Amino acid sequence: MRGLRIGFVALGLLWGCGDSETGGGGAGLIERPTCDEIGKKCHHSPTELGQECHEFGHDHTNTEEDCKARYAECMAECEGSGEGH
């Protein structure tokens, strides 16, 4: 019986975990489209601020609101640097 409970817990964890890049509307999913855009846009930036923006966008401790506050600054810095992952 204990093994069955462990199996259900493991299945629940696999099914319920996700991040903003996995999509699909799964349980536990936190949408952060602005953060994702910053992280992708600034991936290949050659500047220090651009790399800071890249890391900021991928940092899951930042909220969508945090990313909206830095959006204009980061997009201006990373314009023309190409997109990454």
Side-chain angles (χ1 to χ4, degrees):
M1 189 69 157
R2 182 176 177 188
L4 188 59
R5 267 190 296 180
I6 292 171
F8 281 126
V9 170
L11 181 61
L13 290 173
L14 289 172
W15 181 59
C17 293
D19 63 29
S20 59
E21 294 182 354
T22 60
L29 181 70
I30 299 172
E31 293 291 336
R32 300 175 338 120
T34 305
C35 298
D36 292 343
E37 185 177 353
I38 291 171
K40 289 177 184 176
K41 182 69 173 180
C42 295
H43 181 75
H44 292 294
S45 176
T47 68
E48 187 174 329
L49 177 58
Q51 282 304 301
E52 178 186 321
C53 288
H54 168 73
E55 292 171 15
F56 179 83
H58 287 307
D59 184 347
H60 291 282
T61 62
N62 295 318
T63 65
E64 177 68 3
E65 290 74 29
D66 294 334
C67 291
K68 285 180 179 179
R70 290 201 60 192
Y71 182 82
E73 171 191 29
C74 288
M75 288 296 107
E77 181 67 20
C78 299
E79 189 65 38
S81 64
E83 292 188 24
H85 55 103

